[in-house]
Amino acid sequence: MTSRIYSADELEVCEEVGRGGFGVVYRGLIKTTNEEVAIKQIDLENDQTDLFEINKEISIISECRLPQITKYLGCFVKNYKLWVIMEFVNGGSLFEILQPGPVTDEKTISIIAKEILLALDYLHNQGKIHRDLKSQNILLGSKGEIKLTDFGVSTQLSSNFSRRNTTVGTPYWMAPEVILNDNGGHNSKADIWSLGCCLYELFNGKPPLQNQYPPMKALRYISKCTKDDDFVTIIKLNELEISSNFKDFLIECFRVDTRKRLSANKLLKHKFITKNSVDSNEQSKLIKTLITNKHLWDQENHVLKSQKFYLPTEMVQNQQKWNLDEKEEENTIKFDISTMNEYPSPKSTTRESSISPETTLTEKTPKKKTKKINYQTLQQHDSKQKNLSKTLKPELSKIVNKVFHKLDTKSSLSTEQYDLLVSLNQNFLDLLTFSNTTGNDNSTSKLIICQYLKYFMKELNKNDNDSRLLLKKLILPSEMKNTDTIKIKSKEMGPFDEIENSLFETWIDEMKHLKG
Amino acid sequence: MSFLFKRNPRTPQELIKNLNESIEKIDLSNDNHRKYQDECSKYLKQIKIILHGDDEIEPQPDQITLLAQEIYQTDCLYYLTKYLSNLDFDSRKDVAILFSTLLRRKISNKSPTVDYLISKNEILILLMKNQEVQEIGLICGSILRDCIKFEIINDFILNNKYFWNYFNYVQNEIFEIATDSFTTLHDLLTIHKKLVSEFLADNYDYFTKNINKLIQSKNYVTKRQSIRLLSEIVLTRSNQFFLNKYFDDTINLKLIMMLLSDKSKNLQIEGFHIFKFFIAKPKKSQKILDILIKNKDNFIEFFEKFDLSSFNDSNSIDEKDYILNEIKKLPDIERL
């Protein structure tokens, strides 16, 4: 792989593959070699960006060279942005891999565990702690590689091997001592706990406690663990149908006393790891199966494929193949995984996306007053707005994905149009939030996107002039034409994917017009 | 079970002797260099276990003493520094850990390693010079920052001619070399307050010239970091002598005014936090006063629009109001 990248001129920036508080991650290509890279663009003018924290992160990643850690390829400043170039891992994260369902094969779990342990052993030996190990930070490659990534919060214990004392991490994967911040902070053993959570997550689909409790409550439960088997008891580890080796491995990870919790080096010698070890061929086969399953699932659920546009022919071929081979065994379908890409953004998934500590805290602290909602059925379940948008989000996501898919297959989109649509869909989902009602408590708050569409339809139906009529004609599907306003209104929560489908077309025209 | 893994049959003396021998044999142009690299890597790992222990072995104080003495006597740290880039990637980090651990070792309130480094100061000079070398710059930086926690070493470095190279290093095209050098420069100029205040007083002209050059850099990060450093120096009470001179100098005022009009909001804010001292200084020089008065209307217009609200810092907003008031109190320009 190329040794170092010095400037933006050496790169071609492709589609967005991820997004976070720091900025945006793109897939990119090195012009001279056509190698894929991940480009993390950090906005340095952003108020939340701490230049010194970033410097620290970069010095840590630049000092790591291990197959199990994403390789650092350089970084540079362009205008007000810092570009960090990393190796691109094309199979997506463990979190995404789990979307179709849990991984029940213990051999696969053991292989993943081993690779992460190798990475942790390397880091810990150098006095580094990852501090935010979770399924989103473990990437899979189509050659069977497992790589640890995202050192956003990792710490270098440069001066000595003492402890850190800041709380960072993500609730469900956090060790009790990290939450409590006791013993003057935490050490490398915190990563071992998180590893245990990841493995549990692999087998169960969710990290411990996530199915039972919201983040803050889970935090409380974890922090209450004082005896060594407390956590093992509350997560009912004994009821899991797993081998005794796997169970014992998890018990070692979940020891509350950090001195008794085994180090990465020792866990590498644990039976669960040694008994399941396989050669690299076998490993890549098992990992590939996971990636394949995920791609099939994406296809069935019409999940947006951001890379699709850049490799149109191969993708079309694959699509046809999938349609034909639908009933065949998954493993018999051979397709080029290297043409696949990561999920566009975890936001659009139906699963709860990654919860960073900050968002969790703001979500949970009752900053905003809960307002009454006028949806009677849902009100009975829970009056919290969050739950409503949570219920609606998967459905809306399904709709916009379907609309997008339809549009995409029926018309040949330009890159620009494609990108605009992706962001339009994202905006739709992001706007499934409540407006801040300014009036008194009796007023009901509205879901912005729904309200928006409602107003849009109303406006459209005002037969003001000829162009308005024409617009209406272009937008409304034939079966809805000539219907009066009231009927459309009553339908607005109904099958509006048809309407939206047409809406997109006009909006794209509008956007193009604005751009041109 | 630990007897099964007996991996350290040698005495610390032998270990250091072997390390010194192997490290000199590494010749990167020779095909067999991997063999010696691996040997060094192995010895450095064993040294780390003597110093820190591992899962089975607790560190033994008498072994550590023997090891340290041998390291000083054979100039092992010098060879490790000199041939640092010949070691393999991960072994270099073990060298940094070795330095760090030895530095913290104290015998009756004195650090023998510090005394050694001062007497064998070639090591410190090598560390400074190698800060800009791509493969080992960051390691040298981290070792050096561990060293300058001790005032006597900080003193040596500030008064060495190679110190001034740092103003070039921070502009290195390799981002992490540049920022790492900046961290070192920052530490050198902020940790030991009394030492720094004397240094700045003695070297006002040369230092100001150099830092002002950085503030005018085209690179956003260089610019922002150097203003931040200057702010921190200015905010340190003990740097009184430097402050008096700095805020009387019209060149400095001009540069800071340019920052206020920069496109970047962050640079404007950083600039403001220096500018406020020009206004707040009780006895302003006539030249400074002339510039301020000449620009009075511009300043008023600027500060009335200057929006700090997005930074959620009520202190800065109060300060801005205070500065605006002070500017309004300035005499109006005399028109002819």
Side-chain angles (χ1 to χ4, degrees), chain A residues 4 45 63 72 122 159, chain B residues 48 90 93 100 176 220 264:
Chain A
R4 193 185 167 95
E45 270 290 281
E63 279 181 42
Y72 168 78
Y122 179 88
S159 57
Chain B
K48 204 158 90 177
D90 288 319
K93 286 174 276 186
S100 161
E176 55 277 26
Y220 172 78
S264 151

Side-chain angles (χ1 to χ4, degrees), chain A residues 4 6 44-45 47 52 55 62-63 65 72 75 77 80 82 122 125-126 159-160 263 266, chain B residues 48 55 89-90 93 100 104 134-135 138 149 175-176 179 220-221 224-225 228 264-266 310:
Chain A
R4 193 185 167 95
Y6 291 93
L44 297 171
E45 270 290 281
D47 300 343
F52 298 89
N55 291 346
S62 67
E63 279 181 42
R65 278 184 207 168
Y72 168 78
C75 77
V77 182
Y80 298 129
L82 179 68
Y122 179 88
N125 258 322
Q126 294 176 15
S159 57
N160 54 44
S263 65
K266 278 206 167 162
Chain B
K48 204 158 90 177
D55 284 341
F89 184 76
D90 288 319
K93 286 174 276 186
S100 161
R104 276 182 289 114
Q134 176 163 4
E135 283 282 289
L138 264 60
K149 285 176 185 156
F175 181 83
E176 55 277 26
T179 48
Y220 172 78
V221 173
R224 209 170 137 191
Q225 283 178 321
R228 182 71 72 84
S264 151
K265 194 83 199 161
N266 279 309
S310 68

